[in-house]
């Protein structure tokens, strides 16, 4: 989870390959196209005046077609490729200005990289492969083996520490590669198409593994991918590159809602929004709510619901923690039962309040995908409350809001009209 502080800041980052990069830079400053620059100078502009920020603890995915510059870009972050121009600041320190020794220390201490190729040494065990970077750095044998073993445990391979690469599956080999990076205990992890060589099932497992590791031990991850589903699944934010330029940066939701241009729109065409949007994304706050329902306020609550021409309301406390759902019928029944018993014996106020709530109210988790809440929302007679992991009420999802989200702003009103006709008391 990102803490919103700036871990990596990239400013005007440019890479020119060719005999006369200074000539290319002058033409870039004049606004000439990369094609024109190549024709005039023979230089190839691989990355062009890129600016972006990566927040501490987030997974920042960079996407683009082959030749868009994404792999060149990620290699400039740790200067495996030296930039032609621009700056890369990590924790406020300019990597592009570092001397060789300082840069080497940074790579050993703070930055690790995982490539598409597993690059395991065939004559070394999984443990020794995981410890390889620490060995190169000169760490003592006992310490590096302890750290490597702990890293293998993190990726679920502790029991295979003595196996050789040819005794491991492709997914297990990639886990060893990931363990080798984690053994350094880096604050920044660069992953260049790290899972693209794996078959779909193992790839999905590795994505799950990365998400799990991020929850347990948050790092700043820059992840290169050409797979949109992968980017949408793991990325806190996504950057889209084309022709060396960064076209758009945003959350998956932001880019889906407002693509920067036709190129980005084409990238995201056909995305199953039911798998991308969550209940929190479509939750609306205009659902009727009651704060801290009390036995003495039952009639007032009933009157509020009737005045609003609704049938249901959500109850939460002053900190918006969800308490339940009430309805006109449940309130009327609770009031009638209280009044009927009044005078015979002391009123059980807690029992009256319990009677005012619907039993087993339908709710959905805030992080649930829309595909997972279709059934509950369709079946519920009221807009369904959305509750986050701390029990906080985030709003309601009505059938209309859900269909509008799935329709992604289409002009076709058929689905919306159908939703409007289903059930009474739904908030629009």
């Amino acid at each position: 989870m990102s803490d919103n502080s700036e871990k990596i800041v990239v400013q005007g980052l440019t890479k020119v390959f060719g005999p006369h990069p200074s000539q290319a830079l002058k033409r870039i400053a004049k606004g000439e196209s990369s094609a024109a620059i190549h024709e005039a100078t023979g230089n190839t502009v691989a990355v062009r005046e890129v600016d972006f920020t990566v927040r501490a603890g987030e997974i920042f995915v960079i996407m683009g077609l082959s030749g868009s510059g994404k792999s060149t870009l990620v290699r400039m972050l740790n200067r495996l490729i030296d930039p032609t121009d621009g700056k890369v600041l990590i924790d406020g320190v300019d990597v592009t200005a570092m001397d060789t020794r300082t840069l080497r220390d940074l790579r050993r201490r703070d930055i690790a990289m995982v490539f598409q190729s597993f690059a395991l040494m065939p004559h070394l065990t999984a443990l020794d492969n995981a410890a390889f970077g620490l060995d190169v750095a000169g760490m003592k044998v006992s310490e590096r083996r302890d750290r490597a073993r702990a890293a293998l445990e993190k990726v679920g391979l502790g029991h295979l520490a003595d196996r050789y690469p040819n005794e491991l599956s492709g997914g297990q080999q990639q886990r060893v590669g990931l363990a080798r990076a984690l053994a350094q205990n880096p604050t920044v992890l660069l992953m260049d198409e790290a899972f693209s060589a794996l078959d779909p099932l193992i790839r999905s497992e590795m994505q799950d593994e990365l998400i799990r590791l991020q929850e347990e031990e948050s790092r700043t991850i820059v992840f290169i991918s050409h797979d949109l589903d992968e980017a949408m699944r793991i990325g806190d934010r996504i950057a889209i590159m084309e022709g060396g330029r960064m076209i758009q940066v945003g959350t998956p939701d932001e880019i889906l809602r407002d693509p920067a241009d036709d190129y980005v729109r084409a990238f995201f065409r056909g995305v199953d929004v039911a798998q991308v949007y969550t209940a929190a994304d479509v939750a609306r706050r205009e659902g009727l709510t009651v704060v801290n329902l009390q036995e003495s306020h039952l009639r007032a609550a009933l009157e509020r619901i009737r005045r609003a021409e609704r049938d249901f309301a959500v109850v939460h406390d002053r900190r918006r923690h969800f308490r339940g759902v009430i309805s006109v019928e449940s309130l009327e029944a609770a009031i009638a039962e209280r009044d009927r018993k009044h005078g015979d014996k002391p009123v059980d106020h807690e029992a009256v309040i319990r009677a005012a709530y619907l039993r087993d109210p339908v709710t959905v988790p805030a992080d649930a995908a829309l595909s997972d809440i279709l059934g509950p929302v369709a079946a519920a007679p009221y807009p369904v409350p959305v509750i986050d992991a701390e029990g906080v009420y985030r709003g309601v999802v009505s059938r209309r809001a859900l269909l509008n989200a799935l329709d992604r702003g289409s002009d076709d009103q058929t689905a919306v009209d159908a939703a409007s006709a289903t059930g009474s008391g739904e908030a629009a």
Side-chain angles (χ1 to χ4, degrees):
M1 183 68 70
S2 169
D3 65 9
N4 288 323
S5 62
E6 295 180 344
K7 181 68 176 182
I8 303 173
V9 177
V10 173
Q11 301 173 342
L13 200 61
T14 300
K15 181 60 185 179
V16 177
F17 293 104
H20 306 292
S22 60
Q23 293 181 14
L25 289 178
K26 292 177 182 178
R27 291 174 178 269
I28 289 172
K30 294 177 180 179
E32 292 186 23
S33 70
S34 297
I37 292 171
H38 183 266
E39 183 176 352
T41 69
N43 292 282
T44 299
V45 182
V47 175
R48 180 169 179 147
E49 298 181 313
V50 165
D51 298 286
F52 65 94
T53 297
V54 182
R55 301 163 186 154
E58 79 171 329
I59 301 179
F60 187 87
V61 180
I62 301 176
M63 291 195 64
L65 300 177
S66 179
S68 63
K70 57 188 187 297
S71 290
T72 300
L73 174 60
V74 76
R75 282 165 168 76
M76 286 194 287
L77 299 183
N78 64 350
R79 279 182 56 193
L80 288 181
I81 295 176
D82 279 319
T84 306
D85 195 23
K87 294 182 178 181
V88 177
L89 307 177
I90 296 181
D91 291 327
V93 179
D94 187 1
V95 175
T96 63
M98 288 181 176
D99 58 35
T100 302
R101 181 176 179 178
T102 306
L103 178 61
R104 187 186 304 118
D105 289 342
L106 176 73
R107 290 172 180 166
R108 291 175 176 174
R109 184 184 67 251
D110 282 331
I111 303 177
M113 195 160 190
V114 182
F115 298 94
Q116 177 180 340
S117 170
F118 311 140
L120 301 184
M121 303 295 180
H123 62 289
L124 298 180
T125 65
L127 179 64
D128 290 332
N129 265 291
F132 183 76
L134 303 178
D135 184 12
V136 172
M139 185 176 290
K140 292 180 180 179
V141 174
S142 59
E143 183 180 355
R144 71 176 182 247
R145 289 178 69 86
D146 286 345
R147 285 176 61 169
R149 193 175 297 278
L152 286 173
E153 292 287 350
K154 288 179 183 177
V155 299
L157 290 184
H159 62 298
L160 300 178
D162 295 328
R163 298 277 182 92
Y164 288 90
N166 65 354
E167 299 175 305
L168 302 173
S169 68
Q172 289 170 338
Q173 290 181 45
Q174 188 59 293
R175 286 172 187 262
V176 174
L178 181 57
R180 181 172 54 201
L182 295 177
Q184 293 181 226
N185 195 28
T187 61
V188 176
L189 192 58
L190 307 179
M191 306 185 72
D192 188 8
E193 301 275 10
F195 305 151
S196 63
L198 304 173
D199 67 57
L201 180 59
I202 297 176
R203 185 172 190 165
S204 179
E205 291 176 354
M206 287 302 298
Q207 292 166 5
D208 291 340
E209 188 73 16
L210 184 64
I211 293 169
R212 181 187 67 79
L213 288 170
Q214 191 70 348
E215 289 177 350
E216 293 179 357
E217 201 171 273
S218 180
R219 302 176 193 274
T220 303
I221 299 175
V222 180
F223 193 102
I224 304 300
S225 179
H226 66 270
D227 186 315
L228 182 58
D229 288 337
E230 182 172 69
M232 304 283 271
R233 187 162 188 245
I234 69 173
D236 294 305
R237 289 188 299 150
I238 299 174
I240 308 294
M241 291 192 69
E242 179 193 20
R245 294 180 181 272
M246 191 159 283
I247 306 300
Q248 185 170 7
V249 177
T251 65
D253 184 30
E254 289 168 347
I255 297 176
L256 274 170
R257 291 181 186 276
D258 189 22
D261 59 16
D262 289 341
Y263 177 82
V264 177
R265 190 173 292 108
F267 234 107
F268 282 75
R269 186 174 294 127
V271 170
D272 182 1
V273 297
Q275 298 294 335
V276 177
Y277 287 172
T278 65
D281 292 328
V282 299
R284 299 185 179 184
R285 285 289 187 92
E286 57 259 39
L288 188 65
T289 62
V290 173
V291 179
N292 286 340
L293 182 68
Q294 300 176 38
E295 187 267 332
S296 59
H297 294 164
L298 294 181
R299 291 188 186 277
L302 177 60
E303 181 64 19
R304 279 197 65 213
I305 296 176
R306 285 173 170 166
R307 284 181 176 274
E309 298 183 346
R310 306 283 178 87
D311 292 328
F312 300 90
V314 172
V315 181
H316 59 74
D317 64 18
R318 288 187 175 87
R319 294 186 177 181
R320 298 193 66 83
H321 289 94
F322 176 75
R323 290 292 176 259
V325 177
I326 57 178
S327 71
V328 169
E329 290 186 358
S330 68
L331 287 171
E332 287 177 339
I335 291 170
E337 182 68 7
R338 181 193 63 186
D339 292 349
R340 185 181 66 80
K341 291 182 177 180
H342 186 68
D344 297 339
K345 54 184 176 180
V347 176
D348 185 342
H349 298 287
E350 291 186 4
V352 170
I353 288 295
R354 284 197 301 271
Y357 286 104
L358 301 185
R359 290 187 178 181
D360 301 320
V362 178
T363 63
V364 294
D367 60 357
L370 297 194
S371 57
D372 294 331
I373 68 171
L374 290 171
V377 172
Y382 48 81
V384 175
V386 177
I387 314 301
D388 69 16
E390 285 72 45
V392 175
Y393 169 69
R394 299 284 295 276
V396 293
V397 177
S398 66
R399 287 189 283 269
R400 174 182 294 198
L402 182 56
L403 288 176
N404 275 340
L406 295 175
D407 201 40
R408 294 182 62 188
S410 170
D411 291 332
D412 181 5
Q413 287 294 309
T414 303
V416 176
D417 293 339
S420 302
T422 56
S424 62
E426 274 223 3

